[in-house]
């Protein structure tokens, strides 16, 4: 997703496009003007999918027909449409008809030819025919494709040794003008393998056709040739001449002009500009090409490093062979400043396309194809800036990126080689609209990583090879929380993927970016999006709060429709309102909606599966169980997997009692009937109850367990609140030897849903008896008093043991100038907690400390309880801060500090953890 960290269809129809169905495949023609209410970019070219063409001579189509079962790639997976045409024998061809209504004078072919046996690529030609007659040979190469992931090279995008196996990066794009008369409207054009075309095969994915015209030199401009730059001379280094002209343009207030031709940069230095306009004759005519001698030992900056500058109408390319520094990987444009503009820029073969920060900048009408990393990354770190606000990207076309096609990348801090952290301003108000992202082979289509106020609308994303199509969350441990975004009217087709064997959803909301399940994702509204033909689940939720999922359409997913906590995307708690969504075209055994979390509170209404076309959660027998009274374990709600229950396997034998028979068996307990068995961590069952009177109730669980089970279960409310805390079970001696275990709950009056969460397996349950007048719970207390502590570091004698010694005058202080730092308390066992009190010595002056509060049951996997926020310690309030939250049962509590206005370290005298 950024340069130092590796991340993780048939073509989407762009605005007002004319869609033509050929067999089961779709191609499109570009519209003449943008359509404000249709997803995708309006482009100057028309794209024809190869698989939608006419095949002859024995040519064949290869298409993805099932979700990937391996984490590795394939040519079909990386193709647009997840399909391509294979030309392997002399005379095999694929042909199209020019239906654009305009002449075709320029063509782009996205294709793949084999690697050399020892790696490093080959060169070969492929012939173009017009109206059945040979027109010209296209020069193709595989020197900038084919990297390998076997032998412990998964996802590194730089190994070029075929012996390691498991290849990826199959497709390159060759662009050329059509020789002779342009291809007339109604004429046919074809790609054919002839005897002179010596590659063993040619895999054709898609062709783009257009009729570009050159742009004249603007007034008040300086041509780079006037400073000595030489066009089309691959042996000449034009770097110095171009930089000289840039300097003159800056000093004279003129436009820098890049005329027709290719201008080569032969060294490792980039071009620097500030406050000017750099313009070309159009991206088909003016090219700046970085040709660094390879292997290259020098890390490369971008070709252009720009501050408050407008660039438009030219092409940037390079000879980079992989993502590695030694192979010439450097960015195209690093940009910052205010009100900068990038308009009609076409970038290929660079590390990244746009790596841009600042305020008020725009990337528009641009094309990014065959990029080694991110296409467009709008961030708050480029060129040393710390701000990324009010940036936008609109009407751009991105295809074949090795990382995210487009990203909003709000970084909290970066750490240099000496361990020094640099902090950045949280990003706000970034807009992505009317962009088309196709076939990223190594990242998401669009990634929204942290910040607030972002607007991502009317984008078309398709054919991800490995990862999520559109994701709204946070990027890893050093990213900012996401505290508000609108994601609407986007079309996500044939997306998701099996990167790291995770079966990732097409559209995903929540934390967990790059395997780091940390941070807060809050107030994301996802509305009116279309998710079609997802490779796995259509829409997935991980840990997130206050999500609004409204009026979205999920059609024909290859797994499930909408899933809370899909595999590898945990959601131990969270909340969402899921309203008015439609799921259709489910395969046998799939579900429209699943909630795999016992702690994630989802409020559902008006969805397709609730309107008679899908399962609906309801009380067993149609009537809620009465409280006070007994709730039989076998009488969990109806509605099926994900609605009424979540089980990892179906083991029950009591199908005579209820048709699902999930984990039920006949019991020998008094009264007969059935018990719930085959318990396991992460499973849960819901029960709709009707509580007569609000108050406290004693819950008596009728249980059997061959061995004692610590933290076996808990009861939770509909909002996910833990009502009982962890319940331990004694050893009863066998699966059918029964005993009573009691706990206390406080319930409101009325109909409500209770969740029985199985936290650890190894027990059976026959019933839950709720009696009024439960034992009065002990008053809240500081359960951290005197408990063991740990820390990330401390200064001098100010160790973490001071935070639980009940002495406000002693304190912990972390290492200085080395944020973030943390201090932790071990309660000895999981306790239900709803408040933390933090103190500094009462005599200290006021200060703000920015911190995150997190907790864990095992001391290794921590869940965020309260997101990063500044807290004021003021002597007028006894230098005391109180943080409250819904009750949660945890053993380890940690405060992580990232800033302190009073001293460059984390400081704390008392870390009080109060029982609920």
């Amino acid at each position: 997703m950024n340069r130092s960290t590796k991340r993780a269809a048939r073509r989407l129809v762009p605005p007002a496009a004319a869609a033509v169905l050929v067999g089961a495949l779709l191609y499109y023609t570009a519209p003449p003007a943008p359509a404000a209410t249709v997803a995708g970019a309006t482009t100057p070219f028309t794209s024809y999918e190869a698989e939608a063409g006419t095949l002859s001579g024995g040519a064949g189509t290869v298409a993805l027909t099932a979700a990937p079962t391996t984490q590795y790639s394939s040519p079909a997976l990386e193709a647009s449409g997840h399909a391509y045409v294979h030309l392997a024998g002399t005379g095999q061809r694929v042909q199209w008809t020019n239906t654009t209504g305009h002449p075709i004078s320029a063509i782009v072919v996205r294709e793949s030819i084999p690697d050399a046996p020892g790696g490093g690529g080959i060169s070969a030609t492929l012939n173009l025919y017009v109206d059945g007659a040979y027109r010209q040979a296209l020069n193709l190469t595989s020197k900038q494709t084919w990297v390998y992931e076997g032998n412990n090279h998964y996802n590194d995008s730089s190994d070029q040794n075929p012996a390691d196996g498991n290849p990826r990066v199959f497709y390159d794009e060759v662009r050329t003008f059509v020789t002779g008369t342009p291809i007339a409207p109604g004429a046919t054009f074809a790609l054919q393998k002839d005897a002179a075309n010596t590659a063993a095969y040619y895999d054709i994915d898609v062709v783009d056709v257009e009729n570009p015209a050159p742009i004249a030199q603007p007034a008040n401009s300086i041509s780079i040739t006037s400073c000595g730059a030489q066009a089309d001379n691959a042996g000449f280094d034009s770097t110095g001449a171009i930089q000289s002209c840039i300097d003159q343009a800056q000093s004279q207030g003129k436009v820098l002009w890049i005329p027709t031709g290719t201008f080569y940069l032969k060294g490792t230095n980039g071009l620097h500009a500030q406050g000017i306009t750099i313009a070309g004759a159009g991206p088909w005519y003016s090219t700046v090409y970085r040709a660094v001698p390879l292997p290259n030992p020098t890390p490369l900056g971008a070709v252009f490093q720009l501050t408050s500058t407008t660039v438009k109408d030219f092409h940037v390319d390079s000879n980079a062979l992989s993502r590695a520094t030694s192979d010439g990987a450097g960015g195209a444009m690093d940009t910052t400043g205010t009100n900068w503009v990038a308009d009609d820029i076409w970038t290929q073969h660079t590390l990244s396309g746009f790596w841009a920060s600042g305020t008020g900048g725009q990337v528009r009408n641009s094309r990014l194809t065959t990029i080694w990393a991110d296409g467009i990354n709008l961030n708050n770190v480029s060129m040393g800036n710390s701000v990324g606000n009010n940036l936008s990207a609109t009407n751009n076309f991105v295809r074949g990126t090795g990382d995210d096609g487009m990203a909003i990348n709000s970084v909290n801090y970066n750490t240099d080689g000496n361990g020094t952290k640099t902090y950045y301003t949280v990003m706000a108000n970034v807009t992505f609209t009317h962009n088309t992202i196709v076939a990223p082979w190594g990242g998401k289509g669009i990634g929204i990583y942290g910040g607030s106020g972002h607007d991502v609308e009317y984008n078309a994303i398709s054919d991800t090879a490995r990862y999520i199509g559109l994701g709204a969350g946070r990027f890893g441990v050093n990213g900012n929380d996401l505290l508000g975004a609108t994601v609407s009217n986007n079309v996500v087709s044939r997306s998701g993927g099996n990167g790291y064997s995770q079966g990732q959803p097409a559209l995903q909301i929540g934390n967990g970016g790059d395997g780091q399940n940390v941070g807060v994702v809050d107030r994301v509204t996802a509305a009116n999006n279309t998710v079609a033909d997802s490779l796995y689940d259509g829409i997935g939720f991980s840990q997130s709060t206050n999500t609004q999922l409204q009026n979205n359409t999920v059609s024909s997913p290859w797994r499930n429709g909408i899933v809370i906590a899909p595999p590898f995307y945990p959601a131990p708690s969270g909340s969402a309102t899921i309203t008015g969504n439609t799921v259709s075209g489910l395969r046998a055994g799939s579900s429209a909606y699943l909630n795999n979390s016992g702690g994630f509170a989802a409020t559902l209404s008006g969805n397709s599966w609730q309107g008679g076309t899908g399962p609906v959660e309801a009380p067993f027998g149609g009537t809620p169980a009465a409280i006070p009274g007994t709730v039989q374990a076998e009488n969990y709600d109806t509605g099926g997997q994900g609605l009424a229950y979540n089980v990892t396997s179906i083991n029950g034998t009591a199908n005579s009692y209820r048709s699902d028979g999930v984990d039920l068996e006949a019991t020998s307990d008094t009264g007969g009937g059935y018990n719930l068995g085959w318990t396991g961590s992460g499973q849960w069952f819901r029960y709709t109850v009707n509580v007569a009177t609000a108050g406290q109730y004693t819950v008596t669980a009728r249980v059997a367990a061959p061995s004692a089970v610590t933290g076996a279960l808990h009861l939770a409310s509909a909002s996910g609140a833990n009502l009982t805390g962890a319940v331990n079970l004694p050893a009863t001696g066998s699966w059918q030897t029964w005993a009573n275990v009691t706990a206390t709950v406080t319930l409101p009056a009325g109909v409500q849903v209770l969740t029985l969460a199985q936290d650890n397996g190894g027990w059976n349950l026959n019933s839950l008896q709720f009696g009024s007048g439960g034992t009065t719970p002990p008053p809240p207390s500081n359960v951290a008093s005197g408990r063991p502590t740990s820390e990330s570091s401390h200064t001098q004698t100010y160790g973490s043991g001071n935070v639980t010694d009940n002495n406000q005058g002693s304190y912990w202080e972390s290492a200085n100038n080395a944020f973030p730092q943390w201090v932790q308390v071990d309660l000895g066992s999981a306790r239900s907690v709803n408040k933390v009190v933090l103190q500094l010595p009462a005599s200290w002056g006021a200060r703000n400390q920015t911190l995150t509060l997190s907790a864990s049951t095992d001391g290794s996997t921590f869940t965020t309880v309260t997101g990063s926020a500044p807290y004021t310690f003021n002597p007028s309030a006894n230098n005391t801060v109180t943080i409250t939250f819904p009750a949660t049962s945890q053993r380890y509590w940690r405060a992580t500090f990232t800033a302190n206005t009073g001293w460059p370290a984390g400081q704390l005298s008392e870390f009080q953890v109060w029982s609920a």
Side-chain angles (χ1 to χ4, degrees):
M1 212 281 305
N2 59 49
R3 295 182 193 165
S4 61
T5 307
K6 291 179 171 57
R7 294 266 333 139
R10 278 156 272 170
R11 181 60 59 78
L12 290 170
V13 182
V20 182
L21 190 64
V22 181
L25 299 170
L26 188 70
Y27 70 90
Y28 64 74
T29 57
T37 59
V38 179
T42 300
T43 65
F45 57 87
T46 299
S47 291
Y48 292 90
E49 289 290 334
E51 61 269 23
T54 300
L55 308 186
S56 61
T61 297
V62 180
L64 191 70
T65 58
T69 57
T70 172
Q71 65 180 342
Y72 295 103
S73 197
S74 71
L77 195 59
E78 291 188 10
S80 63
H82 289 321
Y84 62 93
V85 167
H86 186 66
L87 308 178
T90 299
Q92 293 186 357
R93 72 155 57 186
V94 55
Q95 178 174 293
W96 307 268
T97 299
N98 178 5
T99 59
T100 66
H102 304 283
I104 297 171
S105 61
I107 186 170
V108 174
V109 181
R110 188 171 195 252
E111 45 69 32
S112 174
I113 61 175
D115 196 3
I122 64 171
S123 296
T125 59
L126 179 63
N127 289 341
L128 173 67
Y129 285 74
V130 177
D131 284 334
Y134 170 81
R135 177 64 67 90
Q136 71 194 82
L138 308 183
N139 295 312
L140 279 54
T141 180
S142 59
K143 294 181 183 297
Q144 293 179 284
T145 54
W146 292 95
V147 298
Y148 299 88
E149 298 189 278
N151 197 20
N152 297 315
H153 289 281
Y154 188 69
N155 213 28
D156 73 1
S157 300
S158 62
D159 177 30
Q160 296 174 305
N161 181 12
D164 288 330
N166 294 311
R168 73 191 298 205
V169 194
F170 301 98
Y171 294 97
D172 197 5
E173 300 197 10
V174 58
R175 62 180 219 155
T176 186
F177 285 104
V178 175
T179 300
T181 305
I183 303 169
T188 64
F189 59 101
L191 297 173
Q192 178 170 308
K193 175 175 165 49
D194 291 329
N197 307 137
T198 56
Y201 63 82
Y202 298 80
D203 291 340
I204 311 301
D205 179 26
V206 63
V207 296
D208 303 333
V209 296
E210 58 187 299
N211 188 31
I215 300 169
Q217 181 175 352
N220 194 38
S221 62
I222 301 174
S223 172
I224 60 174
T225 57
S226 69
C227 299
Q230 296 185 17
D232 304 322
N233 185 349
F236 182 77
D237 183 3
S238 290
T239 306
I242 297 174
Q243 186 62 57
S244 176
C245 260
I246 289 173
D247 296 342
Q248 291 181 45
Q250 289 177 181
S251 64
Q252 298 173 27
K254 293 185 176 182
V255 173
L256 180 76
W257 170 246
I258 304 174
T260 296
T262 298
F263 298 87
Y264 292 89
L265 311 182
K266 305 290 289 184
T268 57
N269 293 328
L271 300 169
H272 301 259
Q274 181 169 352
I276 62 170
T277 294
I278 302 175
W284 272 99
Y285 294 92
S286 301
T287 295
V288 176
Y289 191 99
R290 171 179 266 166
V292 177
L294 301 177
N296 166 54
T298 305
L300 296 173
V303 175
F304 287 90
Q305 298 171 48
L306 307 169
T307 302
S308 304
T309 292
T310 294
V311 291
K312 61 181 183 178
D313 305 323
F314 61 92
H315 177 227
V316 180
D317 204 344
S318 90
N319 65 337
L321 302 178
S322 80
R323 192 166 174 166
T325 296
S326 61
D327 287 333
M333 292 189 174
D334 282 5
T335 301
T336 193
T338 58
N339 301 322
W340 52 263
V341 174
D343 191 356
D344 192 26
I345 300 295
W346 188 352
T347 305
Q348 294 183 283
H349 302 121
T350 59
L351 179 62
S352 58
F354 297 98
W355 183 261
S357 64
T359 304
Q362 303 177 51
V363 181
R364 63 195 186 206
N365 309 317
S366 291
R367 201 179 320 188
L368 300 104
T369 55
T370 63
I371 303 293
W372 283 107
D374 291 351
I376 300 173
N377 188 305
L378 303 185
N379 56 65
N380 55 347
V381 297
S382 178
M383 293 185 65
N385 205 333
S386 65
V387 175
N389 293 334
N390 301 302
L391 306 175
S392 66
T394 188
N395 203 56
N396 301 289
F397 179 85
V398 184
R399 181 171 60 204
T401 57
D403 217 319
D404 295 339
M406 297 176 62
I408 300 169
N409 178 17
S410 186
V411 180
N412 182 18
Y413 67 87
N414 277 326
T415 306
D416 66 17
N418 298 319
T420 301
K421 288 182 170 59
T422 301
Y423 288 86
Y424 306 92
T425 303
V426 180
M427 293 178 71
N429 305 322
V430 177
T431 302
F432 283 176
T433 56
H434 290 291
N435 302 286
T436 294
I437 300 95
V438 181
W441 51 262
K444 296 182 179 69
I446 289 179
I448 307 167
Y449 305 108
S452 64
H454 305 319
D455 188 15
V456 177
E457 298 190 68
Y458 293 106
N459 302 285
I461 302 160
S462 68
D463 307 302
T464 56
R466 181 160 289 181
Y467 298 113
I468 291 159
L470 197 166
R474 162 180 158 161
F475 186 78
V477 295
N478 70 322
N480 288 122
D481 293 335
L482 179 60
L483 302 178
T486 298
V487 179
S488 66
N489 297 291
N490 302 285
V491 176
V492 184
S493 301
R494 298 172 300 277
S495 294
N498 205 31
Y500 293 97
S501 300
Q502 291 179 346
Q504 301 185 9
L507 191 158
Q508 191 261 345
I509 299 169
N511 67 15
D514 286 5
Q516 301 288 343
N517 298 315
V518 298
V520 173
V521 175
D522 187 47
R523 302 189 305 279
V524 173
T525 296
N528 302 304
N529 300 288
T530 298
V531 181
D533 303 305
S534 54
L535 299 190
Y536 298 95
D537 300 318
I539 299 175
F541 288 86
S542 56
Q543 181 81 21
S544 51
T545 51
N546 300 308
T547 300
Q548 301 290 321
L549 190 74
Q550 302 169 340
N551 305 318
N552 300 280
T553 299
V554 178
S555 62
S556 303
W558 283 8
R559 195 160 70 186
N560 301 300
I562 299 171
V563 183
I564 295 170
F568 301 98
Y569 286 83
S573 64
S575 60
T577 300
I578 300 175
T579 306
N581 301 283
T582 299
V583 177
S584 63
L586 291 172
R587 300 183 177 216
S590 297
S591 298
Y593 169 77
L594 294 173
N595 187 344
N596 295 324
S597 168
F600 192 105
T603 302
L604 283 72
S605 64
N607 300 289
S608 64
W609 61 91
Q610 296 177 292
T613 59
V616 178
E617 183 182 2
F620 182 80
T623 303
I627 292 180
T630 299
V631 176
Q632 295 292 341
E634 63 269 29
N635 290 347
Y636 51 85
D637 286 355
T638 60
Q641 171 73 15
L643 284 172
Y645 57 81
N646 174 59
V647 294
T648 54
S649 62
I650 298 175
N651 304 294
T653 58
N655 288 300
S656 61
Y657 180 70
R658 54 186 300 173
S659 59
D660 49 43
V662 174
D663 289 355
L664 298 186
E665 62 181 343
T667 181
S668 63
D669 195 17
T670 303
Y674 305 92
N675 66 256
L676 185 66
W678 292 279
T679 50
S681 177
Q683 297 190 149
W684 50 261
F685 289 80
R686 298 190 196 277
Y687 300 85
T688 300
V689 299
N690 189 359
V691 179
T693 305
Q696 196 173 89
Y697 292 84
T698 298
V699 184
T700 301
R702 188 71 173 162
V703 297
S707 302
V709 183
T710 301
L713 62 93
H714 72 273
L715 285 178
S717 69
S719 66
N722 188 329
L723 301 176
T724 59
V727 176
N728 302 324
L729 304 184
T732 66
S734 77
W735 295 109
Q736 291 296 323
T737 301
W738 297 89
N740 293 333
V741 174
T742 61
T744 302
V745 296
T746 300
L747 301 174
V751 176
Q752 55 203 275
V753 176
L754 301 179
T755 299
L756 172 73
Q758 300 177 6
D759 301 315
N760 287 296
W763 48 277
N764 290 343
L765 176 70
N766 190 17
S767 64
L768 298 169
Q769 183 176 350
F770 292 80
S772 59
T775 303
T776 301
S781 62
N782 173 22
V783 292
S785 176
R787 297 301 307 171
T789 64
S790 55
E791 62 191 18
S792 56
S793 66
H794 70 268
T795 297
Q796 299 177 21
T797 60
Y798 307 118
S800 62
N802 291 332
V803 302
T804 59
D805 65 358
N806 298 309
N807 178 6
Q808 191 174 353
S810 65
Y811 62 93
W812 162 78
E813 181 176 301
S814 74
N816 291 182
N817 300 302
F819 287 117
Q821 296 286 338
W822 55 265
V823 64
Q824 178 176 307
V825 179
D826 177 4
L827 304 184
S829 62
R831 303 291 298 270
S832 182
V833 171
N834 65 356
K835 179 175 69 174
V836 163
V837 176
L838 306 177
Q839 291 183 324
L840 289 178
S843 60
W844 284 15
R847 68 201 63 206
N848 290 341
Q849 294 197 84
T850 301
L851 61 91
T852 300
L853 190 64
S854 56
S856 171
T857 58
D858 60 8
S860 59
T861 302
F862 280 80
T863 299
T864 299
V865 177
T866 61
S868 178
Y871 293 91
T872 300
F873 293 81
N874 197 310
S876 65
N878 195 38
N879 274 332
T880 298
V881 167
T882 299
I883 304 173
T884 60
F885 40 84
T888 178
S889 183
Q890 308 281 350
R891 173 175 172 175
Y892 300 89
W893 288 83
R894 177 182 291 184
T896 302
F897 296 76
T898 56
N900 184 346
T901 60
W903 195 257
Q907 296 174 313
L908 207 58
S909 63
E910 284 295 295
F911 190 162
Q912 299 178 3
V913 181
W914 286 75
S915 59

